[in-house]
Amino acid sequence: MGKQTSGTQPPPGDMQPPPGDTQPDCDVMGCHILRLGSSLEGGAGRRVVRGPASLPGRAGDIPGSWGLTHFKALASAQLFHPLPVTASCCAEPHLQTFSSPGSGYLLPAIYTGLQTGPLLLQRQLSPAMAAQVSLWHHYLHAIRSREAPRAQDYQRAENTLLAVLERVHALDPRFLVDYSRDLQAFQFSLRSSEDPLDMEVPLQVNTEALLIEELGAPEPGDGPALCRLGVPREAVGLEQWRTEDVFSTSEDEGNAECCGHIVPGRVLRVLKALLVAAIVHCRHHSLIPPGSLNAASLSEEQLHLSLLVSSGWRKIRFNIVPVVRRKQGAPTLERVQLMPGLPEGTLRRILGHGVDLVPASPQHWRTSSGYPLSQLLSGLGSLQGHRLDSLSILDRVNHESWRDGGQSPGLTFDHLKMALLWASVLFPAPEDWAELQGAVYRVLVVLLCCLATRNLPHPLCPGHNLLRGCGLDLSAIYQRVERFASQPEMSLRIHVTHLGRIPPPRIDNGVQALLQLPASDPTYWTPAYFDVLLDKFQVFNIQDKDRISAMQGTFRKTKTLGTEES
């Protein structure tokens, strides 16, 4: 295949389609084949990018407007590599068909850009711009190359933990094993950080028969509402939850309805003893690999039980959390418009799960929206664009740069996840997420605004500030995040070949005052305001006239405000 049978070489201006045009797609060492059906100069030829069959939607035609200058720009940035005309001698047999002059392969950076890239398809790519785009995509490619191994590590660690929890259930049927949730593995594959993961242990209790006594939040905006789980005097089927190890008799003898409460502190104490007994049993019967589980942190008095599980060379910390499943959802979940773009059926399914209860103190429970939020994040992955890619990139940068390789306290994956969910609400249009760099900056401007105002609202309960009481130096974190937003290139370089000239900063010192506007006037929390921030960072590339007009109006408002203050 690929050898010239006629003995003559076709002229460069008369490229022949590769023989066997129906053969499978190719992906050679991570680089994607570009097959050119006719002369680039002509502009009328068929130009097709072929990608791996395992990546749906990553193959398509390049517009005929692309000419030789476009590919010269790619080649000068070392993003397009021509294949030799005599490729029949190539060691890779499946490259022998791409022996036409002008054929070549694109690096993954440009290939992904072709998939969704207004940046590449709408205007000629300068070498400097191509190099910058390549840096973002190389960084993403490095992260993606670790996703599968991380998912496998998580699966092995989870198997070890499930073996222990199965024994816990055998010892005490009140504690169940939940096999239905696969979202933790999905999120772990997106992450670079090593923050602990929650492993929920559902309680075998009929919540519809319980009396849920709402106490309200300790302070406005400080967190979700607290409650107590009361057991009715005449309840049937709750006898196992009226035992002294988990139950506290009510001191109010005049309460004719409630006889006492299920106490989270006592539940944790029972679960802790069960975990110790289960670990000993599993080790003795070789049900878990030797040395795979470290229970030293079980002695710590917290609202969860911490176990360190080894999976190969990686160690994953799990926080074991007893949870009470509820069918009833929080009122804010009824706002189906929360996440524009997601199918209504997906949102309804998330709403149908309800909001669970987890320990908030030794005496009280609180609502937990972890599962609905994880479902929303998973739903974003079904939409076109780089939403989840932006989260993976920022989590990696957070771990390596903002937290010094995980050695310093700082933002967690959950903080970044909340910023992405808000960005998805504020930027619902597909074109906002079509280009990788722009997608990252949409999450960045939301995160910077939240750090500047010291308020990261909970997406399902906006009155709850997720940064309140976090114990972090938010000023120092803001400086690091702003430094990255102004000059991201330093943090994106993962190889010595990526060294080069650093572009000048994108912003001046006046951006922090602009970011603090929503703190004094919540009406600024709008897409137009965040479009102004995108324009400040030179990544606003939207062509919609109404949106541009709204952005310009908000910008004039901020300028007027600045003039009045001065």
Side-chain angles (χ1 to χ4, degrees), residues 524 556-566:
Y524 276 103
R556 286 191 293 269
K557 181 181 176 182
T558 61
K559 295 291 287 186
T560 303
L561 182 64
T563 303
E564 292 175 353
E565 290 179 351
S566 60

Side-chain angles (χ1 to χ4, degrees), residues 314-475:
R314 190 185 306 278
K315 295 183 184 297
I316 304 174
R317 184 168 295 280
F318 288 91
N319 290 335
I320 314 299
V321 182
V323 59
V324 178
R325 301 276 191 244
R326 288 180 71 191
K327 292 294 184 183
Q328 180 182 356
T332 50
L333 282 178
E334 298 303 326
R335 298 181 305 164
V336 176
Q337 71 274 19
L338 171 74
M339 201 61 60
L342 284 184
E344 185 173 339
T346 300
L347 289 168
R348 291 296 178 189
R349 186 176 66 251
I350 295 172
L351 300 179
H353 171 78
V355 177
D356 301 329
L357 299 176
V358 297
S361 73
Q363 299 296 326
H364 302 112
W365 302 82
R366 66 170 176 84
T367 58
S368 170
S369 55
Y371 183 69
L373 290 175
S374 297
Q375 285 278 26
L376 288 173
L377 183 67
S378 177
L380 292 181
S382 66
L383 304 178
Q384 290 186 347
H386 291 287
R387 291 171 179 82
L388 297 187
D389 292 337
S390 67
L391 178 60
S392 291
I393 286 178
L394 288 179
D395 184 69
R396 179 71 177 179
V397 171
N398 178 46
H399 179 72
E400 294 294 335
S401 299
W402 306 342
R403 297 186 60 177
D404 303 313
Q407 300 302 310
S408 303
L411 299 174
T412 65
F413 178 80
D414 283 342
H415 288 131
L416 301 176
K417 181 171 69 174
M418 302 302 180
L420 171 62
L421 291 173
W422 274 116
S424 298
V425 174
L426 294 162
F427 302 107
E431 55 265 29
D432 280 295
W433 306 96
E435 189 263 317
L436 180 59
Q437 179 183 215
V440 173
Y441 270 90
R442 275 145 181 83
V443 183
L444 261 180
V445 293
V446 173
L447 182 62
L448 279 169
C449 181
C450 293
L451 290 171
T453 59
R454 297 174 175 265
N455 181 23
L456 174 55
H458 193 290
L460 301 182
C461 184
H464 177 199
N465 180 9
L466 297 169
L467 294 179
R468 184 170 184 175
C470 64
L472 299 175
D473 186 348
L474 297 180
S475 298

Side-chain angles (χ1 to χ4, degrees), residues 45 110 151 225 231 288 404 422 539 553 566:
I110 297 303
V231 178
I288 58 176
D404 303 313
W422 274 116
V539 288
S566 60

